[in-house]
């Protein structure tokens, strides 16, 4: 695991519960602040998909790398980035992860192995392969987690990346987050998502992305494969986003009942909570304490973000490029 900061994930199944809850509460607060007009630009929430990144990150080790799309707040939290820095970035403040200049879709934290935050659908996938190539060249044993959506999986550059990753045997773990919606309006995808990766000889597995333990199990097999130098691996995590595509999407292409039904029967947090209680692994009291702790972290992050200053106008041209 990466170095954890305050409010960052713990190990163990109760830790998985806490990590998912932190993402849920953070996103709910982000949605509230957006509604108050405090978040500029686009904002895509991860609510409903928490088990995917939480299960994947449960097998990550120090030195591993990750890259994702514009729906990335959960990935940052799971990578151990300070919730305060993410919230401040959403509000465009100087204390934000990208010093208030990236916003929701463009946050970076190389010290956490987090390479964004990308607004162009699928663009992070070849960049992820480049990061994996750098790791292979340096002869590290690190895995690069490359997250993308079900619609992104159709991009030509994803197919090209599969080809190169297979050819060069890159230490790349592709994670297709099939949230049942390829963007704002189109119909859910069919079962062929992994076939393209298989066509290039890449090992694949599909997993219930609403079950964090199942995701962790699949992630463990995949990460061992990649770390053993056997080349890339692709996982399709079947999940569901509860909210609209972005805050601007009223989600009229599906019924309210559909989302309520998934929430009532497959919610990743509620189902783990019930299982932990049923197994006697945790008490209601401990879970209540976790709920309070997470709520406090998120409130503190929002309060600090609201009080933080905007970047100075003179800083506009700073930190836009980096010396390599
Ligand atoms: C190259 C490109 N084409 C179109 C868009 C507009 N767009 C933004 S998100 C999106 C849908 C992507 O869906 P998916 O990959 O399933 O990810 P999800 O939003 O469901 O997480 C589209 C078409 C874009 N940002 N970039
Ligand atoms: Mg999608």
């Amino acid at each position: 695991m990466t170095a954890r900061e305050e409010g960052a994930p713990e190990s163990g199944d109760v830790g998985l519960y806490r990590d998912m809850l932190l993402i849920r509460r953070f996103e709910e607060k982000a949605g509230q602040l957006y509604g108050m007009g405090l978040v500029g630009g686009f904002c895509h929430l991860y609510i409903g998909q928490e088990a995917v990144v939480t299960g994947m990150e449960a097998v990550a080790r120090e030195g591993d790398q990750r890259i994702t799309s514009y729906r990335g707040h959960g990935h940052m939290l799971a990578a151990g980035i300070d919730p305060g820095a993410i919230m401040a970035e959403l509000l465009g403040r100087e204390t934000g992860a990208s010093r208030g200049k990236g916003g929701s879709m463009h946050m970076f934290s190389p010290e956490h192995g987090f390479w964004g935050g990308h607004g162009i659908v699928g663009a992070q996938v070849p960049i992820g392969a480049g990061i994996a190539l750098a790791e292979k060249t340096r002869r590290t044993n690190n895995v690069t987690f490359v997250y993308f959506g079900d619609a992104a999986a159709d991009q030509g550059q994803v197919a090209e990346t599969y080809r190169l990753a297979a050819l060069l045997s890159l230490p790349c773990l592709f994670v297709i987050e099939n949230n049942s919606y390829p963007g704002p309006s189109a119909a859910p995808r069919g079962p062929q998502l992994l076939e393209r990766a298989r066509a290039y000889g890449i090992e694949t597995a599909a997993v219930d992305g609403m079950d964090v333990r199942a995701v962790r199990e699949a992630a463990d097999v995949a990460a061992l494969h990649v770390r053993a130098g056997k080349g890339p691996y692709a996982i399709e995590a079947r999940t569901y986003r509860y909210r609209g595509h972005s805050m601007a999407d009223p989600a009229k292409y599906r019924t309210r009942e559909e989302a309520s039904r998934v929430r009532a029967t497959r919610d990743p947090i509620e189902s783990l909570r019930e299982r932990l209680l049923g197994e006697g692994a945790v008490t209601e009291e401990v879970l209540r304490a976790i709920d309070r702790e997470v709520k406090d972290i998120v409130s503190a992050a929002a309060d600090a973000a609201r009080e933080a200053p905007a970047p100075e106008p003179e800083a506009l041209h700073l930190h836009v490029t980096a010396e390599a």
Side-chain angles (χ1 to χ4, degrees), residues 49 70-71 148-152 177-184 189 241 245:
Q49 300 181 215
Y70 43 82
R71 199 180 298 287
F148 52 102
D150 43 304
E177 299 202 47
N178 183 358
N179 62 7
S180 311
Y181 285 95
R189 288 290 308 268
R241 83 168 146 66
H245 168 73

Side-chain angles (χ1 to χ4, degrees), residues 228-240:
K230 295 181 183 167
Y233 198 105
I235 289 180
E236 176 195 355
R238 295 177 181 152
T239 179
Y240 193 86

